[in-house]
Amino acid sequence: VTAIRTAVDDRGVATITIDHPPINLITMEVFFELGASIQELADDDSVRAVVIRSANPEWFLAHFDVEAIQQFPRVQPIPSEIGPYDQMCETLRTMPKPTIAVIGGRVGGGGSELALGCDMRFATPDAIFSQPEVALGIVPGAGGTVRLPRLIGRSRALEVVLGCDDIDAATAERWGWVNRVLPADEIDAFVDRLAGRIAGFVPHAVAAAKASVVRAELGVETDLLAEARAVNATRAGEETPV
């Protein structure tokens, strides 16, 4: 049974719905399905906007499956290019159409990093954000140390990444982690209107405007590669429990 559902309406607004009970854990199977869906929508010129949401109001997307991580070799070659999860998040950041995350409930680790790859994030008041990796002896491995400082600044990013604590929706909005916090009974209509509005504009203008903004984010891929190397180094440490 698929954990990822994709639908495209007559405006060209695509919706990816994540449905992997109980917490939308990112297993390898979920990752492969999600990555394939994102790439397919990126390549489809009839798709004008992409919205990612969860079927579970208590979880947007959890961390990567720790048991799967523990199966990976602790000592790995130094990467020369970003890995597939980074590539998926980069596709969200760079595809020539807007990508929007609708976040309700908890999001952490790799789930948080997927949302960070999106162009915009909207949350309900009960949303909770975290990057818990340092507490496990590693570092965020899919952009948590790269995209988050660009959004909220160095000091706040360090509070999140080093503190490994929960950040509530109101704080996330104040810091710029999310665009807005909206009531649960209003968020879907707001995002639907925004996505539909953008989808109705001339596609090449939307693509050019997004590309121009993306160009302002200097060094993202270089920093992602450095982050990946840091993940490998910390996993190889004797005190790392995962």
Side-chain angles (χ1 to χ4, degrees):
V1 178
T2 182
I4 307 298
R5 301 194 301 271
T6 303
V8 182
D9 67 17
D10 56 8
R11 304 168 298 172
V13 176
T15 300
I16 295 174
T17 303
I18 304 165
D19 189 6
H20 186 232
I23 64 170
N24 284 347
L25 184 69
I26 309 171
T27 62
M28 293 301 295
E29 292 77 10
V30 170
F31 163 50
F32 290 142
E33 285 187 29
L34 185 57
S37 296
I38 289 170
Q39 190 61 57
E40 181 179 351
L41 297 176
D43 294 338
D44 187 343
D45 290 339
S46 69
V47 172
R48 305 289 185 85
V50 177
V51 177
I52 303 178
R53 57 166 38 95
S54 170
N56 183 347
E58 296 182 359
W59 283 88
F60 173 72
L61 188 60
H63 52 81
F64 206 90
D65 185 359
V66 174
E67 290 186 3
I69 293 175
Q70 290 174 326
Q71 301 306 311
F72 301 156
R74 282 189 174 270
V75 178
Q76 298 191 43
I78 297 174
S80 58
E81 58 184 21
I82 63 173
Y85 201 95
D86 273 328
Q87 291 172 8
M88 177 179 70
C89 295
E90 276 293 273
T91 297
L92 290 169
R93 187 178 75 93
T94 62
M95 71 168 72
K97 58 201 81 175
T99 55
I100 304 171
V102 180
I103 302 167
R106 182 174 287 276
V107 57
S112 169
E113 290 168 314
L114 179 95
L116 288 170
C118 291
D119 299 322
M120 293 169 259
R121 286 153 298 283
F122 297 92
T124 58
D126 64 344
I128 298 172
F129 302 79
S130 68
Q131 293 288 163
E133 290 86 353
V134 168
L136 299 174
I138 56 176
V139 301
T145 68
V146 176
R147 297 187 180 92
L148 193 57
R150 286 168 165 82
L151 277 177
I152 68 175
R154 176 183 185 273
S155 297
R156 286 168 173 167
L158 285 170
E159 179 180 342
V160 172
V161 172
L162 299 184
C164 300
D165 209 350
D166 291 344
I167 304 297
D168 62 82
T171 302
E173 181 187 41
R174 189 170 67 251
W175 285 1
W177 196 330
V178 297
N179 291 61
R180 306 182 192 217
V181 173
L182 297 160
D185 59 353
E186 297 178 14
I187 191 169
D188 289 339
F190 179 92
V191 171
D192 182 69
R193 178 184 178 277
L194 176 62
R197 179 175 171 82
I198 298 171
F201 296 148
V202 179
H204 71 249
V206 172
K210 176 170 175 176
S212 188
V213 172
V214 168
R215 280 194 298 272
E217 299 177 308
L218 300 176
V220 171
E221 288 196 22
T222 299
D223 291 348
L224 288 172
L225 183 57
E227 182 186 68
R229 291 171 175 168
V231 172
N232 284 6
T234 52
R235 279 212 73 229
E238 294 182 1
E239 297 179 354
T240 302
V242 297

